[in-house]
């Protein structure tokens, strides 16, 4: 619902920071309007009507008033506070990692309902402890895909020949892999990617190109899951061009 002065939408609370003596500046990931910074006035005061609503990772229904410079929160009603995630440090670190990725990848006020739904599914998976490692990989792939930075996993980035089934060196700076004939000794940012991980990523890439939804229809062993998470972390960190706070937190917890 939109009027000139207010708009109402579902949102996830991505982060918040102090804003003056009594206010908080909240980063919302709204379903309809993308990532939006809003001021929650007097949210730091005791008995504030916002105090429980604006906690990190909450799924909320918000009414937002348009401001000249910054919008402000009028109402904030909790839809789901994900208590299961918040009561488990390992789950919390993963949830914060995912939300921090959205902060770093998604531009303000650019609607991206696919990424919104992906983050919501990821948080629901964490809450239900439903295939957690797979959910983290699935979310990161959705984010990369719908941010337009999915690398090339099927053919050589230089000559377009199909890559052989073997371990390869992936170069974040070129968004892909050079075949043996095209190897470039000048590239310094290479990261090893195991044959099994590459096989899975190719499978995903083919499904994306044929516009099929990609759920985990392949069984993936524990080692490959770990390797995929390692690889995606490196690629995402490179692409976001900065090491994210929550990556450090995740490493600390793990
Ligand atoms: Zn080549």
């Amino acid at each position: 619902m939109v009027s000139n002065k207010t708009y109402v939408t579902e949102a996830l609370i991505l982060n918040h920071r102090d804003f003056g003596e009594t206010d908080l500046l909240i980063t919302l990931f709204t379903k309809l309007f993308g990532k939006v910074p809003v001021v929650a006035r007097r949210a730091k005061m005791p008995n504030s009507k916002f105090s429980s609503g604006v906690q990190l990772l909450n799924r909320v229904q918000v009414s937002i008033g348009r401001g000249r410079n910054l919008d402000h929160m009028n109402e904030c009603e909790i839809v789901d506070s994900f208590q299961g995630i918040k009561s488990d440090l390992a789950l919390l670190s993963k949830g914060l990692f995912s939300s921090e990725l959205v902060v770093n990848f998604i531009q303000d006020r650019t609607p991206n309902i696919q990424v919104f739904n992906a983050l919501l599914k990821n948080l629901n998976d964490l809450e239900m402890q439903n295939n957690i490692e797979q959910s983290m990989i699935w979310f990161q792939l959705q984010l990369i895909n719908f941010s337009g930075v999915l690398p090339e996993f099927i053919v050589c980035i230089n000559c377009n020949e199909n890559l052989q089934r073997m371990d390869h060196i992936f170069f974040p700076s070129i968004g892909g892999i050079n075949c043996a004939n095209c190897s470039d000794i000048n590239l310094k940012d290479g990261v090893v990617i195991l044959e099994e991980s590459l096989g899975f990523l190719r499978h995903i890439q083919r499904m994306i190109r044929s516009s099929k939804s990609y759920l985990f229809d392949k069984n993936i062993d524990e080692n490959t899951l770990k390797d995929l998470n390692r690889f995606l972390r490196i690629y995402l960190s490179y692409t976001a061009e900065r090491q994210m706070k929550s990556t450090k937190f995740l490493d600390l917890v793990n």
Side-chain angles (χ1 to χ4, degrees), residues 156 159 179 182:
C156 168
C159 71
C179 73
C182 301

Side-chain angles (χ1 to χ4, degrees), residues 145 150 203-212 214:
N145 184 29
L150 187 73
H203 172 69
I204 295 291
Q205 193 147 49
R206 286 193 187 99
M207 282 201 284
I208 288 171
R209 284 181 181 162
S210 61
S211 301
K212 288 181 188 157
Y214 51 98

Side-chain angles (χ1 to χ4, degrees), residues 7-160:
Y7 52 103
V8 175
T9 178
E10 187 181 337
L12 295 160
I13 309 280
L14 296 180
N15 67 21
H16 49 57
R17 57 189 158 90
D18 288 353
F19 195 69
E21 288 278 296
T22 59
D23 302 348
L24 286 174
L25 183 63
I26 314 280
T27 305
L28 292 174
F29 191 26
T30 70
K31 186 170 188 172
L32 301 179
F33 307 97
K35 202 173 63 154
V36 181
V38 298
V39 177
R41 290 177 184 149
R42 300 173 63 80
K44 286 160 67 182
M45 301 290 281
N47 304 321
S48 160
K49 65 174 178 175
F50 296 128
S51 58
S52 57
V54 298
Q55 286 183 13
L56 294 180
L57 305 183
N58 276 1
R59 179 184 181 186
V60 292
Q61 188 75 15
V62 282
S63 164
I64 299 168
R66 293 187 195 281
R68 188 178 294 174
N69 297 314
L70 274 170
D71 294 352
H72 60 271
M73 195 177 266
N74 289 328
E75 303 286 339
C76 180
E77 191 180 318
I78 297 174
V79 177
D80 196 337
S81 59
F82 297 111
Q83 284 307 311
I85 296 176
K86 290 170 189 172
S87 61
D88 181 316
L89 200 55
L91 293 176
L92 179 61
S93 69
K94 287 179 163 59
L96 292 177
F97 176 69
S98 298
S99 70
E100 188 81 9
L101 284 177
V102 171
V103 170
N104 283 284
F105 267 78
I106 301 295
Q107 308 244 326
D108 281 359
R109 299 188 186 279
T110 307
N112 197 327
I113 199 162
Q114 293 104 330
V115 174
F116 178 88
N117 286 335
L119 180 58
L120 186 56
K121 181 185 183 310
N122 179 233
L123 293 176
N124 278 321
D125 285 342
L126 295 176
E127 178 76 6
M128 304 302 289
Q129 304 201 24
N130 178 26
N131 292 324
I132 290 167
E133 294 301 320
Q134 292 192 11
S135 179
M136 295 304 292
I137 290 167
W138 180 85
F139 170 70
Q140 290 171 79
L141 285 168
Q142 293 275 65
L143 182 66
I144 290 171
N145 184 29
F146 290 115
S147 308
V149 291
L150 187 73
E152 173 57 52
F153 297 118
I154 297 171
V155 299
C156 168
I157 202 83
N158 187 49
C159 71
N160 237 24

